[in-house]
Amino acid sequence: MSSDFESYEQDFAVLTADITGRIGKVPKLLGDEKKQMVANVEKQLEEARELLEQMELEVREIPPQSRGMYSSRMRSYKQEMGKLEADFKRSRIAYSDEVRNELLGDDGNSSENQLIKLREERAHLLDNTERLERSSRRLEAGYQIAVETGVLRRACAGVLPDTHSESGKGNNCFSVVPCVPSSDRCVFCNHIY
């Protein structure tokens, strides 16, 4: 039984070496060539999984006193398989430098130009953010004034004595705050002119 396991080990080693070589080629290929290579690697990965399953079945049939050594080998092979699958996944989405440069229109100097452009855009965004913050503060201050004005209007109308009727001129709704006409009414006390 261990001879079957060792035969599977040899097949697995050859297959994983071939898969590793093909995975390294995938990012450099384009179009149909890349699709064909990806399909071949997927097929080989499936074969490697099947070999691992066969090896696992062989380990189960080995007597318990000898099984420990084979179990540790199986863990190692499973880790290797996981690494191959992760490498394959990365290689499928990776592009070579030439392809990336072609897609991005990179001509060698453009990385410096892109850096300059990014810095300018960042500075512009920071300026706009500061402008927005200043406007927000002004709006908050205006809102606060509006709230206070509403409070003064209520105080002028209900609590304080009507100084307009006393003076007859309507120029002083408080002893400290003069009436502020806005169209035909006082801004603070709503006095009609």
Side-chain angles (χ1 to χ4, degrees), residues 61-145:
E61 293 179 13
I62 295 175
Q65 60 271 19
S66 306
R67 196 177 296 168
M69 176 181 71
Y70 292 103
S71 294
S72 65
R73 287 165 139 175
M74 280 303 300
R75 280 192 296 276
S76 171
Y77 294 138
K78 286 179 181 178
Q79 287 176 347
E80 185 177 349
M81 186 68 190
K83 183 182 175 299
L84 280 174
E85 288 174 338
D87 289 347
F88 177 58
K89 185 176 181 181
R90 278 192 298 270
S91 75
R92 283 177 35 187
I93 58 175
Y95 286 99
S96 66
D97 286 341
E98 298 86 31
V99 173
R100 186 185 62 78
N101 291 344
E102 183 180 316
L103 288 173
L104 296 175
D106 194 3
D107 61 357
N109 293 336
S110 69
S111 62
E112 186 177 318
N113 293 337
Q114 287 175 345
L115 184 61
I116 291 169
K117 185 177 178 183
L118 287 173
R119 285 182 182 155
E120 289 172 354
E121 289 174 354
R122 184 170 187 261
H124 185 68
L125 285 172
L126 287 172
D127 289 343
N128 286 341
T129 302
E130 289 174 10
R131 200 172 312 148
L132 183 63
E133 288 173 355
R134 282 192 305 269
S135 297
S136 295
R137 284 192 297 269
R138 275 189 250 133
L139 282 172
E140 287 172 6
Y143 175 76
Q144 188 63 33
I145 289 171

Coordinates of all heavy atoms in Angstrom, one line a residue, residues 61-145:
E61 N -5.8 3.4 4.8 CA -5.6 2.0 4.8 C -4.3 1.5 5.4 O -4.1 0.3 5.7 CB -5.7 1.5 3.4 CG -7.1 1.6 2.8 CD -7.2 1.2 1.3 OE1 -6.3 0.5 0.9 OE2 -8.2 1.5 0.7
I62 N -3.4 2.5 5.7 CA -2.1 2.1 6.3 C -2.4 1.9 7.8 O -3.2 2.5 8.4 CB -1.1 3.3 6.1 CG1 -0.8 3.4 4.6 CG2 0.2 3.1 6.9 CD1 0.1 4.6 4.3
P63 N -1.7 0.9 8.4 CA -1.8 0.6 9.8 C -1.6 1.8 10.7 O -0.7 2.6 10.3 CB -0.8 -0.5 10.1 CG -0.4 -1.1 8.8 CD -0.7 0.0 7.7
P64 N -2.3 2.0 11.8 CA -2.2 3.2 12.6 C -0.8 3.5 13.1 O -0.4 4.6 13.2 CB -3.1 2.9 13.8 CG -4.0 1.8 13.3 CD -3.3 1.0 12.3
Q65 N 0.1 2.4 13.4 CA 1.4 2.7 13.9 C 2.3 3.4 12.8 O 3.2 4.1 13.1 CB 2.1 1.4 14.4 CG 2.3 0.3 13.4 CD 1.1 -0.6 13.4 OE1 0.0 -0.3 13.8 NE2 1.3 -1.8 12.8
S66 N 2.0 3.2 11.5 CA 2.8 3.8 10.4 C 2.1 5.1 9.9 O 2.7 5.8 9.0 CB 3.0 2.8 9.3 OG 3.6 1.6 9.8
R67 N 0.9 5.3 10.2 CA 0.1 6.4 9.6 C 0.6 7.8 9.9 O 0.4 8.7 9.1 CB -1.3 6.2 10.1 CG -2.3 7.0 9.3 CD -3.8 6.8 9.7 NE -4.2 5.4 9.5 CZ -5.3 4.9 10.0 NH1 -6.1 5.6 10.8 NH2 -5.6 3.6 9.8
G68 N 1.2 8.0 11.1 CA 1.6 9.3 11.5 C 2.5 10.0 10.5 O 2.4 11.2 10.1
M69 N 3.5 9.3 9.9 CA 4.5 9.8 9.0 C 3.7 10.3 7.7 O 3.9 11.3 7.2 CB 5.5 8.8 8.6 CG 6.5 9.3 7.6 SD 7.8 8.0 7.2 CE 6.8 6.8 6.3
Y70 N 2.8 9.4 7.2 CA 2.1 9.7 6.0 C 1.1 10.8 6.2 O 0.8 11.6 5.3 CB 1.4 8.4 5.5 CG 2.3 7.4 5.0 CD1 2.6 6.2 5.8 CD2 3.0 7.5 3.8 CE1 3.5 5.3 5.4 CE2 3.8 6.5 3.3 CZ 4.1 5.4 4.1 OH 5.0 4.5 3.7
S71 N 0.5 10.9 7.4 CA -0.4 12.0 7.7 C 0.3 13.4 7.6 O -0.3 14.3 7.1 CB -1.1 11.8 9.1 OG -1.9 10.7 9.1
S72 N 1.5 13.4 8.2 CA 2.2 14.7 8.1 C 2.6 15.1 6.7 O 2.5 16.2 6.3 CB 3.5 14.7 9.0 OG 4.4 13.7 8.5
R73 N 2.9 14.1 5.9 CA 3.2 14.3 4.4 C 1.9 14.9 3.8 O 2.0 15.8 2.9 CB 3.6 13.1 3.7 CG 5.0 12.6 4.1 CD 5.2 11.2 3.6 NE 6.5 10.9 3.0 CZ 6.8 9.7 2.6 NH1 6.0 8.7 2.7 NH2 8.0 9.5 2.0
M74 N 0.8 14.3 4.1 CA -0.5 14.7 3.5 C -0.8 16.2 3.9 O -1.2 16.9 3.0 CB -1.7 13.8 4.0 CG -1.8 12.5 3.3 SD -2.0 12.7 1.5 CE -3.5 13.6 1.3
R75 N -0.6 16.6 5.1 CA -0.8 18.0 5.5 C 0.1 18.9 4.7 O -0.3 19.9 4.2 CB -0.5 18.1 7.0 CG -1.6 17.7 7.9 CD -1.4 18.2 9.3 NE -0.2 17.6 9.9 CZ -0.2 16.4 10.6 NH1 -1.3 15.7 10.6 NH2 0.9 16.0 11.1
S76 N 1.3 18.5 4.4 CA 2.3 19.2 3.6 C 1.8 19.4 2.2 O 1.8 20.5 1.6 CB 3.7 18.6 3.7 OG 4.5 19.2 2.8
Y77 N 1.3 18.3 1.6 CA 0.8 18.3 0.3 C -0.5 19.2 0.2 O -0.7 19.9 -0.8 CB 0.5 16.9 -0.2 CG 1.7 16.0 -0.4 CD1 1.7 14.7 0.0 CD2 2.9 16.5 -0.9 CE1 2.9 13.9 -0.1 CE2 4.1 15.8 -1.0 CZ 4.0 14.5 -0.6 OH 5.1 13.7 -0.7
K78 N -1.3 19.1 1.2 CA -2.5 20.0 1.1 C -2.1 21.4 1.2 O -2.8 22.3 0.6 CB -3.4 19.6 2.3 CG -4.2 18.3 2.1 CD -5.1 17.9 3.2 CE -5.8 16.6 3.0 NZ -6.6 16.2 4.1
Q79 N -1.1 21.8 2.0 CA -0.7 23.2 2.1 C -0.1 23.6 0.8 O -0.4 24.7 0.3 CB 0.4 23.3 3.2 CG -0.2 23.3 4.6 CD 0.9 23.3 5.6 OE1 2.1 23.2 5.3 NE2 0.5 23.5 6.9
E80 N 0.6 22.7 0.1 CA 1.2 23.0 -1.2 C 0.1 23.2 -2.2 O 0.2 24.2 -3.0 CB 2.1 21.9 -1.6 CG 2.8 22.2 -2.9 CD 3.8 21.1 -3.3 OE1 4.1 20.2 -2.5 OE2 4.3 21.1 -4.5
M81 N -0.9 22.4 -2.1 CA -2.1 22.6 -3.0 C -2.8 23.9 -2.8 O -3.1 24.6 -3.8 CB -3.0 21.4 -2.8 CG -4.2 21.3 -3.8 SD -3.5 20.9 -5.4 CE -5.0 21.2 -6.4
G82 N -3.0 24.3 -1.6 CA -3.6 25.6 -1.3 C -2.8 26.7 -1.8 O -3.3 27.7 -2.3
K83 N -1.4 26.6 -1.7 CA -0.6 27.7 -2.2 C -0.6 27.7 -3.7 O -0.7 28.8 -4.3 CB 0.9 27.4 -1.8 CG 1.9 28.5 -2.2 CD 3.3 28.1 -1.8 CE 4.3 29.1 -2.3 NZ 4.4 29.2 -3.7
L84 N -0.7 26.6 -4.4 CA -0.8 26.6 -5.8 C -2.1 27.2 -6.3 O -2.1 28.0 -7.2 CB -0.8 25.1 -6.4 CG 0.6 24.5 -6.5 CD1 0.4 23.0 -6.9 CD2 1.4 25.2 -7.5
E85 N -3.2 26.9 -5.6 CA -4.5 27.5 -6.0 C -4.5 29.0 -5.8 O -5.0 29.8 -6.6 CB -5.6 26.8 -5.2 CG -5.9 25.4 -5.7 CD -6.9 24.7 -4.8 OE1 -7.1 25.0 -3.6 OE2 -7.5 23.7 -5.3
A86 N -3.9 29.5 -4.7 CA -3.8 30.9 -4.4 C -2.9 31.6 -5.5 O -3.3 32.7 -6.0 CB -3.2 31.2 -3.0
D87 N -1.8 31.0 -5.8 CA -0.9 31.5 -6.9 C -1.6 31.6 -8.2 O -1.5 32.6 -9.0 CB 0.4 30.7 -7.0 CG 1.3 30.8 -5.8 OD1 1.1 31.8 -5.0 OD2 2.2 30.0 -5.7
F88 N -2.4 30.6 -8.5 CA -3.1 30.5 -9.8 C -4.2 31.6 -9.8 O -4.3 32.3 -10.8 CB -3.8 29.2 -9.9 CG -4.6 29.0 -11.2 CD1 -4.1 29.3 -12.4 CD2 -6.0 28.7 -11.1 CE1 -4.9 29.2 -13.6 CE2 -6.7 28.6 -12.2 CZ -6.2 28.8 -13.5
K89 N -4.9 31.8 -8.7 CA -5.9 32.9 -8.7 C -5.2 34.2 -8.9 O -5.8 35.1 -9.7 CB -6.6 32.8 -7.3 CG -7.7 33.8 -7.2 CD -8.4 33.6 -5.8 CE -9.6 34.6 -5.7 NZ -10.3 34.5 -4.4
R90 N -4.1 34.5 -8.3 CA -3.4 35.8 -8.5 C -2.9 35.9 -9.9 O -3.0 37.0 -10.5 CB -2.2 35.9 -7.5 CG -2.6 36.3 -6.1 CD -1.4 36.7 -5.3 NE -0.5 35.6 -5.1 CZ -0.6 34.8 -4.0 NH1 -1.5 34.9 -3.1 NH2 0.3 33.8 -3.9
S91 N -2.4 34.8 -10.5 CA -1.8 34.9 -11.8 C -2.9 35.1 -12.9 O -2.6 35.7 -13.9 CB -1.0 33.6 -12.2 OG -1.9 32.6 -12.4
R92 N -4.1 34.7 -12.6 CA -5.2 34.9 -13.6 C -5.6 36.4 -13.7 O -6.0 36.8 -14.8 CB -6.4 34.1 -13.2 CG -6.3 32.6 -13.5 CD -7.5 31.8 -13.0 NE -8.8 32.5 -13.1 CZ -9.9 32.0 -12.6 NH1 -9.9 30.8 -12.0 NH2 -11.0 32.6 -12.8
I93 N -5.4 37.1 -12.6 CA -5.8 38.5 -12.7 C -4.6 39.4 -12.9 O -4.8 40.6 -13.1 CB -6.6 38.9 -11.4 CG1 -5.8 38.7 -10.2 CG2 -8.0 38.2 -11.4 CD1 -6.5 39.2 -8.9
A94 N -3.4 38.9 -12.8 CA -2.2 39.7 -12.9 C -1.9 39.9 -14.4 O -2.2 39.1 -15.2 CB -1.1 39.0 -12.2
Y95 N -1.4 41.1 -14.7 CA -1.0 41.4 -16.0 C 0.5 41.7 -16.0 O 1.0 42.2 -15.0 CB -1.7 42.7 -16.6 CG -3.1 42.4 -16.9 CD1 -4.2 42.7 -16.1 CD2 -3.4 41.8 -18.1 CE1 -5.5 42.4 -16.4 CE2 -4.8 41.5 -18.5 CZ -5.8 41.9 -17.6 OH -7.1 41.6 -17.9
S96 N 1.2 41.4 -17.1 CA 2.6 41.8 -17.2 C 2.7 43.3 -17.3 O 1.7 44.0 -17.5 CB 3.2 41.1 -18.4 OG 2.6 41.7 -19.6
D97 N 3.9 43.8 -17.0 CA 4.1 45.2 -17.1 C 3.8 45.8 -18.4 O 3.2 46.9 -18.5 CB 5.6 45.6 -16.7 CG 5.9 45.4 -15.3 OD1 5.0 45.3 -14.5 OD2 7.1 45.2 -14.9
E98 N 4.1 45.1 -19.5 CA 3.8 45.7 -20.8 C 2.3 45.8 -21.0 O 1.8 46.8 -21.5 CB 4.3 44.8 -21.9 CG 5.8 44.6 -21.9 CD 6.3 43.5 -21.0 OE1 5.6 42.5 -20.8 OE2 7.4 43.6 -20.5
V99 N 1.5 44.8 -20.6 CA 0.1 44.9 -20.8 C -0.5 46.0 -19.9 O -1.4 46.7 -20.3 CB -0.6 43.5 -20.4 CG1 -2.1 43.6 -20.4 CG2 -0.1 42.4 -21.4
R100 N -0.1 46.1 -18.7 CA -0.5 47.1 -17.8 C -0.2 48.5 -18.3 O -1.1 49.4 -18.4 CB 0.1 47.0 -16.4 CG -0.5 47.9 -15.4 CD 0.2 47.9 -14.0 NE 1.6 48.2 -14.1 CZ 2.1 49.5 -14.2 NH1 1.3 50.5 -14.2 NH2 3.4 49.7 -14.3
N101 N 1.0 48.7 -18.8 CA 1.4 49.9 -19.4 C 0.5 50.3 -20.6 O 0.1 51.4 -20.8 CB 2.8 49.9 -19.7 CG 3.7 49.9 -18.5 OD1 3.3 50.2 -17.4 ND2 5.0 49.6 -18.7
E102 N 0.3 49.2 -21.4 CA -0.5 49.4 -22.6 C -2.0 49.8 -22.3 O -2.5 50.7 -22.9 CB -0.5 48.2 -23.5 CG -1.3 48.3 -24.8 CD -1.3 47.0 -25.6 OE1 -0.2 46.3 -25.6 OE2 -2.3 46.6 -26.1
L103 N -2.5 49.2 -21.3 CA -3.9 49.5 -20.9 C -4.0 50.8 -20.3 O -5.0 51.5 -20.5 CB -4.4 48.4 -19.9 CG -4.7 47.1 -20.5 CD1 -5.0 46.1 -19.3 CD2 -5.8 47.1 -21.4
L104 N -3.0 51.2 -19.5 CA -3.0 52.5 -18.8 C -2.4 53.6 -19.6 O -2.5 54.8 -19.2 CB -2.3 52.4 -17.5 CG -2.9 51.5 -16.4 CD1 -2.0 51.4 -15.2 CD2 -4.3 51.9 -16.1
G105 N -1.9 53.3 -20.8 CA -1.2 54.3 -21.6 C 0.0 54.9 -21.0 O 0.3 56.1 -21.1
D106 N 0.7 54.1 -20.3 CA 2.0 54.5 -19.6 C 3.1 54.5 -20.6 O 3.4 53.5 -21.3 CB 2.3 53.5 -18.5 CG 3.3 54.0 -17.5 OD1 3.7 55.2 -17.7 OD2 3.7 53.3 -16.6
D107 N 3.8 55.7 -20.7 CA 4.9 55.8 -21.6 C 6.2 56.0 -20.9 O 7.2 56.5 -21.5 CB 4.6 56.9 -22.6 CG 4.5 58.3 -21.9 OD1 4.5 58.3 -20.7 OD2 4.3 59.3 -22.6
G108 N 6.3 55.7 -19.7 CA 7.6 55.8 -19.0 C 7.6 57.1 -18.1 O 7.9 57.0 -16.9
N109 N 7.3 58.2 -18.7 CA 7.3 59.5 -18.0 C 6.0 59.8 -17.3 O 5.9 60.7 -16.5 CB 7.6 60.7 -18.9 CG 9.1 60.6 -19.4 OD1 9.9 60.0 -18.8 ND2 9.3 61.2 -20.6
S110 N 5.0 59.0 -17.7 CA 3.6 59.4 -17.3 C 3.5 59.1 -15.8 O 2.6 59.7 -15.1 CB 2.6 58.6 -18.0 OG 2.6 57.2 -17.8
S111 N 4.3 58.2 -15.2 CA 4.2 58.0 -13.8 C 4.5 59.3 -13.0 O 3.9 59.6 -12.0 CB 5.0 56.8 -13.3 OG 6.4 57.1 -13.6
E112 N 5.5 60.0 -13.5 CA 5.8 61.3 -12.9 C 4.7 62.3 -13.1 O 4.3 63.0 -12.2 CB 7.1 61.8 -13.4 CG 7.6 63.1 -12.7 CD 9.0 63.5 -13.3 OE1 9.8 62.6 -13.5 OE2 9.1 64.7 -13.5
N113 N 4.2 62.3 -14.3 CA 3.1 63.2 -14.6 C 1.8 62.8 -13.8 O 1.1 63.7 -13.3 CB 2.7 63.1 -16.1 CG 3.8 63.7 -17.0 OD1 4.6 64.5 -16.5 ND2 3.9 63.2 -18.2
Q114 N 1.6 61.6 -13.6 CA 0.4 61.1 -12.8 C 0.6 61.6 -11.4 O -0.3 62.0 -10.7 CB 0.3 59.6 -12.9 CG -0.3 59.1 -14.2 CD -0.3 57.6 -14.3 OE1 0.3 56.9 -13.5 NE2 -1.0 57.1 -15.3
L115 N 1.8 61.5 -10.9 CA 2.1 61.9 -9.5 C 1.8 63.4 -9.3 O 1.2 63.8 -8.4 CB 3.5 61.6 -9.1 CG 4.0 61.9 -7.7 CD1 3.1 61.1 -6.7 CD2 5.4 61.5 -7.5
I116 N 2.3 64.2 -10.3 CA 2.0 65.6 -10.3 C 0.6 65.9 -10.3 O 0.0 66.7 -9.5 CB 2.8 66.3 -11.4 CG1 4.3 66.3 -11.2 CG2 2.3 67.8 -11.6 CD1 5.1 66.7 -12.4
K117 N -0.1 65.2 -11.2 CA -1.6 65.4 -11.3 C -2.3 65.0 -10.1 O -3.2 65.7 -9.6 CB -2.1 64.6 -12.5 CG -3.6 64.8 -12.8 CD -4.0 64.0 -14.0 CE -5.5 64.2 -14.3 NZ -5.9 63.4 -15.4
L118 N -1.9 63.9 -9.4 CA -2.5 63.5 -8.2 C -2.3 64.5 -7.1 O -3.2 64.8 -6.3 CB -2.0 62.1 -7.7 CG -2.5 60.9 -8.5 CD1 -1.7 59.7 -8.1 CD2 -4.0 60.8 -8.4
R119 N -1.1 65.1 -7.0 CA -0.8 66.1 -6.0 C -1.7 67.4 -6.2 O -2.2 67.9 -5.3 CB 0.7 66.5 -6.1 CG 1.6 65.5 -5.4 CD 3.0 65.9 -5.5 NE 3.8 64.9 -4.9 CZ 5.1 64.7 -5.2 NH1 5.7 65.6 -6.0 NH2 5.8 63.7 -4.6
E120 N -1.8 67.8 -7.5 CA -2.7 68.9 -7.8 C -4.1 68.6 -7.4 O -4.8 69.5 -6.8 CB -2.6 69.3 -9.3 CG -1.3 69.9 -9.7 CD -1.1 70.0 -11.2 OE1 -2.0 69.6 -12.0 OE2 -0.1 70.6 -11.6
E121 N -4.6 67.4 -7.7 CA -6.0 67.1 -7.4 C -6.2 67.0 -5.9 O -7.2 67.5 -5.4 CB -6.4 65.7 -8.0 CG -6.5 65.7 -9.5 CD -6.7 64.4 -10.1 OE1 -6.6 63.3 -9.4 OE2 -7.0 64.3 -11.3
R122 N -5.2 66.5 -5.2 CA -5.3 66.5 -3.7 C -5.4 67.9 -3.1 O -6.2 68.2 -2.3 CB -4.1 65.8 -3.2 CG -4.2 65.6 -1.7 CD -3.1 64.6 -1.2 NE -3.3 64.3 0.2 CZ -2.6 64.9 1.2 NH1 -1.7 65.8 0.9 NH2 -2.8 64.6 2.5
A123 N -4.5 68.8 -3.7 CA -4.5 70.2 -3.2 C -5.9 70.9 -3.5 O -6.4 71.6 -2.6 CB -3.4 71.0 -3.8
H124 N -6.4 70.6 -4.6 CA -7.7 71.1 -5.0 C -8.8 70.6 -4.1 O -9.7 71.4 -3.6 CB -8.0 70.8 -6.5 CG -9.3 71.4 -7.0 ND1 -9.4 72.7 -7.2 CD2 -10.4 70.8 -7.3 CE1 -10.6 72.9 -7.7 NE2 -11.3 71.8 -7.8
L125 N -8.8 69.3 -3.8 CA -9.7 68.7 -2.8 C -9.6 69.3 -1.4 O -10.6 69.6 -0.8 CB -9.6 67.2 -2.8 CG -10.1 66.4 -3.9 CD1 -9.7 65.0 -3.8 CD2 -11.6 66.5 -4.1
L126 N -8.4 69.6 -1.0 CA -8.2 70.2 0.3 C -8.7 71.6 0.4 O -9.4 72.0 1.3 CB -6.7 70.2 0.7 CG -6.1 68.8 1.1 CD1 -4.6 68.9 1.3 CD2 -6.8 68.3 2.4
D127 N -8.5 72.4 -0.7 CA -9.0 73.7 -0.8 C -10.5 73.7 -0.7 O -11.1 74.5 0.0 CB -8.6 74.4 -2.1 CG -7.1 74.8 -2.1 OD1 -6.5 74.8 -1.0 OD2 -6.5 75.0 -3.2
N128 N -11.1 72.8 -1.5 CA -12.6 72.7 -1.5 C -13.1 72.3 -0.2 O -14.2 72.8 0.3 CB -13.1 71.7 -2.6 CG -12.9 72.3 -4.0 OD1 -12.8 73.5 -4.2 ND2 -12.9 71.5 -5.0
T129 N -12.4 71.4 0.5 CA -12.9 71.0 1.8 C -12.8 72.1 2.8 O -13.7 72.4 3.6 CB -12.0 69.8 2.3 OG1 -12.0 68.8 1.4 CG2 -12.4 69.3 3.7
E130 N -11.7 72.9 2.8 CA -11.6 74.1 3.7 C -12.7 75.1 3.4 O -13.3 75.7 4.3 CB -10.2 74.7 3.5 CG -9.1 73.9 4.1 CD -7.7 74.5 3.8 OE1 -7.7 75.7 3.3 OE2 -6.7 73.8 4.0
R131 N -13.0 75.3 2.1 CA -14.0 76.3 1.7 C -15.4 75.8 2.2 O -16.2 76.6 2.7 CB -14.0 76.4 0.2 CG -14.7 77.6 -0.3 CD -14.6 77.8 -1.8 NE -13.2 77.6 -2.2 CZ -12.8 77.2 -3.4 NH1 -13.7 76.8 -4.3 NH2 -11.6 77.0 -3.7
L132 N -15.6 74.5 2.1 CA -16.9 73.9 2.6 C -17.0 74.1 4.1 O -18.1 74.4 4.6 CB -17.0 72.4 2.2 CG -18.2 71.7 2.5 CD1 -19.4 72.3 1.8 CD2 -18.1 70.2 2.1
E133 N -15.9 73.8 4.8 CA -15.9 74.0 6.3 C -16.2 75.4 6.7 O -17.0 75.7 7.6 CB -14.6 73.5 6.9 CG -14.5 72.0 6.9 CD -13.1 71.5 7.3 OE1 -12.2 72.4 7.6 OE2 -12.9 70.3 7.4
R134 N -15.6 76.4 6.0 CA -15.8 77.8 6.3 C -17.3 78.2 6.0 O -17.9 78.8 6.8 CB -14.9 78.7 5.4 CG -13.5 78.8 5.9 CD -12.8 79.9 5.2 NE -12.8 79.9 3.8 CZ -11.9 79.3 3.0 NH1 -10.8 78.7 3.6 NH2 -12.0 79.2 1.7
S135 N -17.8 77.7 4.9 CA -19.3 78.0 4.6 C -20.2 77.3 5.6 O -21.2 77.9 6.0 CB -19.6 77.4 3.2 OG -18.9 78.0 2.2
S136 N -19.8 76.1 6.1 CA -20.6 75.5 7.1 C -20.6 76.3 8.4 O -21.7 76.4 9.0 CB -20.1 74.1 7.4 OG -20.3 73.3 6.2
R137 N -19.4 76.8 8.8 CA -19.4 77.6 10.0 C -20.2 78.9 9.8 O -20.9 79.3 10.8 CB -17.9 77.9 10.3 CG -17.1 76.8 10.9 CD -15.8 77.2 11.5 NE -14.9 77.8 10.5 CZ -14.0 77.1 9.8 NH1 -13.9 75.8 10.0 NH2 -13.2 77.7 8.9
R138 N -20.1 79.5 8.7 CA -20.9 80.7 8.4 C -22.4 80.4 8.5 O -23.2 81.2 9.1 CB -20.6 81.3 7.1 CG -19.4 82.3 7.2 CD -19.2 83.0 5.9 NE -18.0 82.5 5.3 CZ -17.8 82.2 4.1 NH1 -18.8 82.3 3.2 NH2 -16.7 81.7 3.6
L139 N -22.8 79.3 7.9 CA -24.2 78.9 8.0 C -24.7 78.6 9.4 O -25.8 79.0 9.8 CB -24.5 77.6 7.1 CG -24.6 77.8 5.6 CD1 -24.6 76.5 4.9 CD2 -25.8 78.7 5.3
E140 N -23.8 78.0 10.2 CA -24.1 77.7 11.6 C -24.3 79.0 12.4 O -25.2 79.2 13.2 CB -23.1 76.8 12.2 CG -23.2 75.4 11.8 CD -22.0 74.5 12.2 OE1 -21.2 75.0 13.1 OE2 -21.9 73.4 11.8
A141 N -23.4 79.9 12.1 CA -23.5 81.3 12.8 C -24.7 82.0 12.4 O -25.4 82.6 13.2 CB -22.2 82.1 12.4
G142 N -25.1 81.9 11.1 CA -26.3 82.5 10.7 C -27.6 81.9 11.3 O -28.5 82.6 11.7
Y143 N -27.5 80.6 11.4 CA -28.6 79.9 12.0 C -28.8 80.3 13.5 O -29.9 80.5 14.0 CB -28.4 78.4 11.9 CG -29.5 77.6 12.7 CD1 -30.8 77.4 12.1 CD2 -29.2 77.0 13.9 CE1 -31.7 76.7 12.8 CE2 -30.1 76.3 14.6 CZ -31.4 76.1 14.0 OH -32.4 75.4 14.7
Q144 N -27.6 80.4 14.2 CA -27.6 80.8 15.6 C -28.2 82.2 15.7 O -29.0 82.5 16.6 CB -26.2 80.8 16.1 CG -26.1 81.0 17.6 CD -26.9 79.9 18.4 OE1 -26.9 78.8 18.0 NE2 -27.5 80.3 19.5
I145 N -27.9 83.1 14.8 CA -28.4 84.5 14.8 C -29.9 84.4 14.6 O -30.7 85.1 15.2 CB -27.7 85.4 13.8 CG1 -26.3 85.7 14.2 CG2 -28.5 86.7 13.5 CD1 -25.4 86.3 13.1

